[in-house]
Amino acid sequence: MISVMAGLATAAILFIVTVGLSLIFGTMRVINLAHGTFYMLGAYLVTVTFGAVSSRALGFTVMLLVSAAIVAVVGLLIEVLVLRRLYGSDHLLQLLATWAILMILDQVAIMVWGPQNFTAALPRAFNGSVQMNGQQFPQYDLFLIGVALAIALALWLILQRTRFGRLVRAAVQDVELIRVLGVNVNRLYTQVFVVGTFLAALGGALMGPATSVGPGIDMNIIVEAFIVSVIGGLGNIWGAAIGAIIIGLFQSIGNLYVPELASLAPYIVMILILVIRPHGLLGKVEG
């Protein structure tokens, strides 16, 4: 029971980060290697820059949103100044551009916060545990699961009940059609990229107090996010949820029974899925 809950807590963060990546790719067809760097910036802001106001639940919640919003502004500038000029280009050019952005932001982070790792205390409101099946489970992990569920519900409502959601779904199907119908596709892309960046930064901000924050965490999370995306189907946000749950449970239960192989679980699962279903569980063949 505890291992399953721990796996769901891991899946919660993976989902929050990966769903932003899938939203961007599904709508814009941009493979954003810098996505993990937005996660890292969110973690740095919460852990180092705003760590002093993180002890209370309200302050912590505001801090999460402010941190993610600041990084979303960075994403806005990157989309407008760089990526907008590469739409329609070969995927390789987009990969190289986002890779260059990743390297630049990594170096900026080292210049601002230094090469050392940081840890921060959990807010007092979540720094306890609850009893489950005779064992203690961290309250903060329950908080992470709750946030992920809230984000999933919010995304569903936005995609199904708002004009923005309808445009996003239409762009996933045929972006040229909505362009002909007079939709400002560039503005839609900007909005989608900002939302995706916000989600990546929010994932990092949420993980900031629960892990060691330092150079390299962006590389780790982007690898895991791509694995989750491939398993669920690149560009499918609900596939991201399924992929995150699969990886989270495999890692958690693997740590319990075969800890020496647990770190390999994501790669093993990805290979199996690719062999059985090359486009992922919910992915579609590109036309």
Side-chain angles (χ1 to χ4, degrees):
M1 176 68 176
I2 292 297
S3 293
V4 171
M5 292 300 294
L8 292 178
T10 300
I13 291 298
L14 287 175
F15 168 70
I16 294 170
V17 176
T18 306
V19 75
L21 186 71
S22 290
L23 188 64
I24 290 171
F25 180 80
T27 308
M28 303 164 62
R29 291 296 186 269
V30 171
I31 300 174
N32 181 22
L33 293 180
H35 197 71
T37 309
F38 300 142
Y39 167 95
M40 181 188 70
L41 294 178
Y44 266 122
L45 285 173
V46 162
T47 305
V48 184
T49 304
F50 297 138
V53 295
S54 66
S55 59
R56 297 179 183 275
L58 180 60
F60 180 67
T61 303
V62 172
M63 183 179 63
L64 291 175
L65 297 176
V66 170
S67 299
I70 291 173
V71 181
V73 172
V74 175
L76 169 67
L77 295 174
I78 289 172
E79 195 280 336
V80 172
L81 298 176
V82 181
L83 296 181
R84 185 172 294 184
R85 288 152 177 77
L86 298 176
Y87 295 144
S89 302
D90 190 273
H91 282 318
L92 179 60
L93 291 179
Q94 297 172 355
L95 279 173
L96 291 173
T98 56
W99 174 257
I101 292 167
L102 179 157
M103 299 302 292
I104 291 170
L105 291 180
D106 271 6
Q107 192 58 41
V108 170
I110 291 175
M111 291 169 61
V112 173
W113 291 294
Q116 68 273 31
N117 285 15
F118 296 92
T119 57
L122 291 173
R124 283 197 298 270
F126 307 112
N127 194 19
S129 60
V130 295
Q131 192 161 3
M132 288 185 176
N133 204 25
Q135 294 178 289
Q136 299 297 315
F137 186 72
Q139 287 182 354
Y140 192 70
D141 284 1
L142 282 179
F143 174 68
L144 295 179
I145 295 171
V147 172
L149 290 173
I151 289 174
L153 177 61
L155 281 175
W156 182 83
L157 290 172
I158 290 171
L159 291 174
Q160 299 297 324
R161 304 293 175 84
T162 68
R163 181 176 184 274
F164 171 73
R166 287 191 290 274
L167 290 177
V168 168
R169 288 188 286 127
V172 171
Q173 297 298 323
D174 191 342
V175 70
E176 292 306 320
L177 177 61
I178 65 170
R179 194 191 302 275
V180 170
L181 294 175
V183 174
N184 187 331
V185 173
N186 282 344
R187 185 167 63 188
L188 179 65
Y189 281 179
T190 301
Q191 294 169 341
V192 168
F193 195 82
V194 168
V195 172
T197 304
F198 180 90
L199 290 170
L202 182 61
L206 285 163
M207 275 304 289
T211 189
S212 176
V213 177
I217 64 170
D218 54 340
M219 296 295 186
N220 296 332
I221 193 67
I222 193 62
V223 170
E224 291 186 336
F226 271 114
I227 290 174
V228 168
S229 292
V230 169
I231 290 173
L234 197 59
N236 190 301
I237 63 173
W238 307 121
I242 295 173
I245 292 173
I246 291 174
I247 293 302
L249 291 179
F250 263 85
Q251 285 186 332
S252 178
I253 296 174
N255 278 323
L256 182 64
Y257 293 106
V258 281
E260 62 277 9
L261 296 178
S263 61
L264 300 178
Y267 306 101
I268 295 172
V269 175
M270 181 177 70
I271 290 173
L272 290 174
I273 295 295
L274 286 176
V275 169
I276 298 169
R277 191 173 171 82
H279 301 288
L281 295 175
L282 300 184
K284 296 180 180 178
V285 180
E286 295 267 350

